[in-house]
Amino acid sequence: MMNNGYSYRPGPPGPPPQGYYEQRPPPPQNKFFYPPHMTPRPQYAPSPHMGYSQPNGMPPPPPPGTPMMRPPPGPNGMMMAPNPYMQQQQASLQQQQQMMDNSYMPDSSVLAASQAGRRPAKSQFPPPSMENLQRFRADAMASNDPKMMLDLAKYMMEVLPIVLAANENDPKKQRKIKETMVTEAQRIVKKIANNGLGKSGYGDAQFYLADAYGSGKLGLAIDADKAFSLYLQGSKQGHPGCTYRVAVCYEVGAGTKKDNGHAIQFYRKASTLGDVRAMYKLSMVLLRGTLGQQKNPREGMSWLERAASLADEDYPQPLHDLGVAFEKEGIPSVIPDPNYARDLFSKAAQEGYAPSQFKLGLAYENGFLNCPIDPRRSIAWYSKAAEQGDLESELALSGWYLTGAEGILQQNDSEAYLWARKAADRGYSKAEYAVGYYTETGVGVKPNLDEARRWYMRAAAQNNRRAMQRLTELKKHGHLQQRRKHTRDAQGRPADKDSDCTIM
């Protein structure tokens, strides 16, 4: 059977193992409650059980339902000795839970969610210090290699904050050190950018210097014209990054006149040179028909698939958008494949891409993408995306707190309100409507019709249909509505008639 060039993927996986949903949550660590540095909370009403610091420097209490991490006090207030049997039982229960969680779709398990995200960046240079800088400088000068000279300039910028901090009590000396090091770094980069490899210069140095002119780094004043000129020089040598930046400059008119034709020309050139951002941009242009181009879905998908094959934690977006393309019908010549879409979302989510993490949370909440309904995984992925400020995930967590998840997450009106308020404060219309409903019906906050009306008006200003409908009802009747009962079924699926989704 023909499939227009796109292969079919395996069928949907089976449901989770029998008894999966009857398991109690693992005792030692609740994956769904994060410390304050990972999940910032609104400052107006901090919750005492979501990781906030407590008065007098005391650590916060554990979240509801979390087993005690130390034995309870004895009759005289003395701590009882740990019970080896109970410790063994807890460890066994945790191991059993993890095994069952990883028994299907391990790429999107709770464990995978807990480990998802960017890894700590490792510097290519030795630890920053003046001693290491002196050795690095001597080696670079002796080599006369443009790459080592460029690395020397970059390393100097890493060492500079350390040196300045060591001399914070002497501002005059600080200024002198900063001026000396920045001037030397500028001199090195400019020299190799102009004649690092003969008359043409060194492409990586041209990119670095152009980026500095574009952003004001390296102590340079922002100068779009110089930045564009340097990018163009690098492009002539076949530098992928410089070529992509030239295309961007032509598209937005930075340092040169806007010219869609030249922009497309350089996006194609950069894509051919292997720049993943150019491939992704070119695919979006061809799929959407922007920049004066006719839509070309087949070529657009080809470039999107090539970009996805090169995606990494620094640029995972092509994986996500390729998943969106295969998620449902809409692009000619693409056969929807929810299993393949889920795999792509899982890869992007593991790289720390919040929209993909939200997609997985939504899938495990509602059974999309051939996923079974799994409250643990849904909450885990929503929480991971909410750490990064994803508005949809913050509102989704509000919904989970509104209903609770038996044996997994305790129902909590205050948390439901706070998560919705966190997204509403940043202008998310659905969250503004939810806060209006919560304020009107007294969910996590004292009922206040005037305040609720203000939130409805904010949401209606963004054309939120529910908010406009509720404002019309208030104008006719003018009385508080009664809070509805918000429930889920035994597996965690929102009830059809009275679910929180009718609010969100």
Side-chain angles (χ1 to χ4, degrees):
M1 181 176 182
M2 296 297 293
N3 60 5
N4 297 311
Y6 297 99
S7 59
Y8 289 94
R9 271 61 184 193
Q18 184 176 5
Y20 175 78
Y21 295 107
E22 285 71 31
Q23 291 294 319
R24 294 176 60 82
Q29 214 176 14
N30 193 321
K31 301 287 186 184
F32 313 126
F33 296 88
Y34 294 88
H37 70 278
M38 296 174 69
T39 310
R41 303 288 300 161
Q43 297 301 310
Y44 38 79
S47 168
H49 64 265
M50 284 295 290
Y52 274 105
S53 59
Q54 301 298 304
N56 303 321
M58 295 296 290
T66 301
M68 296 186 68
M69 302 304 293
R70 57 180 182 177
N76 297 324
M78 301 295 291
M79 297 304 297
M80 298 174 62
N83 187 325
Y85 176 76
M86 290 300 296
Q87 290 180 334
Q88 184 178 4
Q89 289 294 101
Q90 288 182 350
S92 175
L93 183 60
Q94 181 187 25
Q95 184 179 11
Q96 182 182 10
Q97 180 63 57
Q98 290 178 348
M99 290 177 61
M100 297 191 71
D101 178 54
N102 287 312
S103 62
Y104 76 101
M105 301 182 196
D107 289 345
S108 56
S109 66
V110 173
L111 178 62
S114 69
Q115 296 174 343
R118 294 178 61 88
R119 269 71 66 185
K122 294 183 179 180
S123 175
Q124 58 178 319
F125 305 122
S129 68
M130 286 302 297
E131 293 76 11
N132 286 335
L133 176 58
Q134 290 172 0
R135 285 193 287 268
F136 203 116
R137 182 187 285 112
D139 293 341
M141 295 296 183
S143 71
N144 201 29
D145 176 29
K147 183 181 184 306
M148 285 197 68
M149 295 298 292
L150 178 59
D151 287 344
L152 171 62
K154 293 179 179 179
Y155 184 50
M156 290 177 70
M157 293 297 98
E158 282 195 13
V159 173
L160 181 57
I162 307 299
V163 178
L164 295 180
N167 294 274
E168 59 183 353
N169 296 326
D170 191 342
K172 185 176 180 180
K173 187 176 181 181
Q174 272 190 330
R175 288 193 298 270
K176 185 176 181 180
I177 292 173
K178 182 176 181 179
E179 181 180 353
T180 301
M181 294 183 67
V182 168
T183 301
E184 182 182 359
Q186 289 180 7
R187 179 181 57 79
I188 292 172
V189 176
K190 289 179 179 179
K191 180 178 179 181
I192 57 177
N194 293 324
N195 56 11
L197 291 173
K199 295 182 180 180
S200 59
Y202 182 47
D204 286 347
Q206 290 166 341
F207 181 89
Y208 184 76
L209 184 57
D211 185 63
Y213 275 121
S215 59
K217 295 187 298 185
L218 205 63
L220 296 171
I222 293 178
D223 190 326
D225 292 341
K226 288 184 178 179
F228 174 74
S229 177
L230 285 162
Y231 285 137
L232 194 58
Q233 290 180 46
S235 177
K236 290 177 180 177
Q237 300 182 67
H239 190 279
C242 285
T243 306
Y244 169 72
R245 293 289 179 90
V246 170
V248 173
C249 288
Y250 274 123
E251 181 181 358
V252 303
T256 186
K257 291 183 179 180
K258 292 181 66 173
D259 188 323
N260 289 344
H262 280 84
I264 289 295
Q265 175 186 342
F266 279 93
Y267 279 133
R268 286 190 176 278
K269 179 181 177 182
S271 298
T272 304
L273 291 171
D275 187 274
V276 63
R277 287 171 172 79
M279 294 178 186
Y280 173 74
K281 177 66 179 183
L282 183 59
S283 72
M284 293 296 104
V285 168
L286 295 172
L287 288 170
R288 298 169 182 170
T290 57
L291 296 182
Q293 302 297 299
Q294 290 186 346
K295 288 185 178 181
N296 189 334
R298 186 174 296 277
E299 185 184 1
M301 285 298 299
S302 175
W303 282 115
L304 183 56
E305 290 188 321
R306 289 180 63 179
S309 69
L310 299 174
D312 56 19
E313 67 174 11
D314 292 325
Y315 198 65
Q317 189 170 353
L319 286 167
H320 177 83
D321 280 24
L322 186 59
V324 172
F326 278 96
E327 185 178 9
K328 54 187 177 182
E329 294 183 357
I331 299 178
S333 78
V334 175
I335 301 174
D337 189 336
N339 294 329
Y340 183 46
R342 183 191 63 247
D343 291 343
L344 291 165
F345 290 141
S346 297
K347 290 178 182 178
Q350 290 169 7
E351 299 290 4
Y353 194 58
S356 291
Q357 294 170 345
F358 168 76
K359 281 283 190 180
L360 291 179
L362 191 67
Y364 281 115
E365 180 180 10
N366 297 282
F368 299 155
L369 302 175
N370 291 332
C371 292
I373 293 178
D374 189 332
R376 291 182 189 275
R377 294 192 178 192
S378 175
I379 297 170
W381 284 112
Y382 281 148
S383 299
K384 201 68 179 181
E387 292 174 16
Q388 303 181 65
D390 184 79
L391 299 175
E392 293 178 294
S393 296
E394 290 171 352
L395 185 58
L397 285 177
S398 172
W400 273 113
Y401 273 109
L402 184 66
T403 62
E406 185 176 358
I408 299 172
L409 188 70
Q410 183 174 336
Q411 194 278 339
N412 190 308
D413 284 353
S414 295
E415 288 299 326
Y417 173 83
L418 288 175
W419 278 110
R421 180 66 185 268
K422 189 172 185 288
D425 283 343
R426 289 185 289 151
Y428 186 39
S429 65
K430 290 184 178 181
E432 291 171 340
Y433 171 77
V435 172
Y437 170 81
Y438 290 162
T439 305
E440 182 180 1
T441 58
V443 177
V445 68
K446 186 177 180 180
N448 186 323
L449 184 57
D450 291 336
E451 181 70 11
R453 186 180 283 109
R454 283 192 285 271
W455 282 107
Y456 288 143
M457 291 177 67
R458 286 180 57 172
Q462 301 186 60
N463 298 317
N464 183 281
R465 182 179 57 83
R466 295 185 183 278
M468 292 188 286
Q469 180 180 351
R470 184 55 190 153
L471 284 172
T472 302
E473 293 172 354
L474 286 174
K475 189 175 182 180
K476 289 182 180 179
H477 307 292
H479 58 77
L480 291 168
Q481 63 177 318
Q482 295 296 316
R483 175 178 177 176
R484 298 189 293 275
K485 183 180 180 182
H486 308 285
T487 60
R488 298 176 188 263
D489 62 22
Q491 285 191 327
R493 186 192 303 271
D496 292 334
K497 296 181 179 180
D498 59 358
S499 76
D500 60 292
C501 294
T502 61
I503 301 173
M504 307 305 174

